[in-house]
Amino acid sequence: MGSVDVSDGGISTAIASVRDDGTDDMYAILKYDGKAKLILQKTGSGSMDEMAGELDDGEVQYVLLRVEGGRDQESKAVKFVFITWVGASVGGMAKGRVASHKMAVKDALGWTVVDIQADDKDDISEEVIREKLKKASGANYDLGSNAGGNYESKAGEIQAAGRNNYQTLEKESNIGPVVFETRALPKETPIDLGGRPMVASATEGKKNTVIRDEGAKMKGEE
């Protein structure tokens, strides 16, 4: 099915804009112009719901989505999501082209934290996307401390709680502290091996060597 053409100038400009902290653009949507060429459909500065509203059930579209903020205020880094939208009404041939084009599109869009392929808009709701990002990033530092809208870091409390839990488990453990003996144990006799050879000399070795004459043995048996 070949490669896909992503050379349209509008695409690179849109990608740079979405990734630029100085612009308001939050997403860029690409669509097909023919079977093997992509063009920029639009950029937008609105919500994720607004972005989802631009996706068509009869089309294959690709999205670079910028995600900021959220409940995990300890982790403020901007994150990017790559969405491959394959509408529920898209035909089999068009779906087949997605498999061969997807990686080239991803390379053009650049690094993303999460990749999502969907044909149902429930799978790209804000709640679902943020949950996927949280799992991918392994971050949920404040444990709901921002739920009321006024953020207050709980990092110190979490650290203290973890330390207390560790100390409690340590006390409950049946492993006691390590004690090093500084004297010989009662039932053991210390042995001084200093100066004693560990390998037998050649003379001593010969005493334990038995030479067998197989020829003589065979004559005796005859």
Side-chain angles (χ1 to χ4, degrees):
M1 294 186 180
S3 60
V4 62
D5 182 358
V6 292
S7 64
D8 178 61
I11 293 177
S12 57
T13 300
I15 293 170
S17 182
V18 172
R19 291 186 176 276
D20 188 345
D21 294 338
T23 72
D24 294 328
D25 285 333
M26 299 300 291
Y27 62 85
I29 302 176
L30 314 185
K31 69 176 183 178
Y32 280 93
D33 180 20
K35 295 181 179 180
K37 179 178 175 62
L38 288 171
I39 60 173
L40 177 67
Q41 176 177 324
K42 72 169 295 183
T43 57
S45 58
S47 66
M48 296 186 206
D49 288 340
E50 177 185 287
M51 175 275 297
E54 299 290 339
L55 304 179
D56 192 318
D57 281 343
E59 302 246 8
V60 174
Q61 294 155 287
Y62 303 95
V63 182
L64 175 64
L65 175 66
R66 179 188 182 99
V67 181
E68 298 176 343
R71 299 185 65 185
D72 295 337
Q73 295 299 316
E74 297 285 353
S75 180
K76 297 179 180 179
V78 172
K79 300 176 179 66
F80 295 93
V81 178
F82 172 40
I83 299 174
T84 302
W85 172 256
V86 183
S89 301
V90 170
M93 291 295 289
K95 287 181 178 178
R97 284 192 291 270
V98 172
S100 60
H101 293 172
K102 185 176 178 179
M103 290 308 299
V105 178
K106 180 175 172 60
D107 288 343
L109 296 181
W111 175 82
T112 54
V113 176
V114 169
D115 298 353
I116 303 172
Q117 181 164 328
D119 60 6
D120 187 329
K121 293 184 180 179
D122 287 343
D123 294 334
I124 52 171
S125 67
E126 180 170 357
E127 180 180 0
V128 169
I129 289 174
R130 288 194 182 277
E131 182 64 22
K132 287 181 180 293
L133 284 171
K134 185 173 71 174
K135 289 180 179 178
S137 303
N140 188 21
Y141 303 99
D142 65 279
L143 301 179
S145 63
N146 197 37
N150 296 316
Y151 177 71
E152 179 182 355
S153 176
K154 300 292 184 181
E157 293 179 18
I158 295 169
Q159 184 182 40
R163 183 169 54 250
N164 290 336
N165 287 338
Y166 176 80
Q167 291 172 348
T168 299
L169 291 173
E170 189 177 39
K171 290 177 181 178
E172 294 174 353
S173 172
N174 60 2
I175 300 176
V178 176
V179 177
F180 294 94
E181 291 289 348
T182 57
R183 58 183 177 78
L185 296 177
K187 294 182 180 181
E188 295 180 358
T189 302
I191 300 175
D192 182 8
L193 297 179
R196 296 182 61 180
M198 296 293 102
V199 179
S201 65
T203 301
E204 293 296 322
K206 287 181 179 179
K207 294 180 181 179
N208 295 321
T209 303
V210 177
I211 300 176
R212 299 179 61 184
D213 188 341
E214 297 294 336
K217 181 180 179 182
M218 292 177 65
K219 289 181 179 180
E221 291 176 351
E222 293 175 354

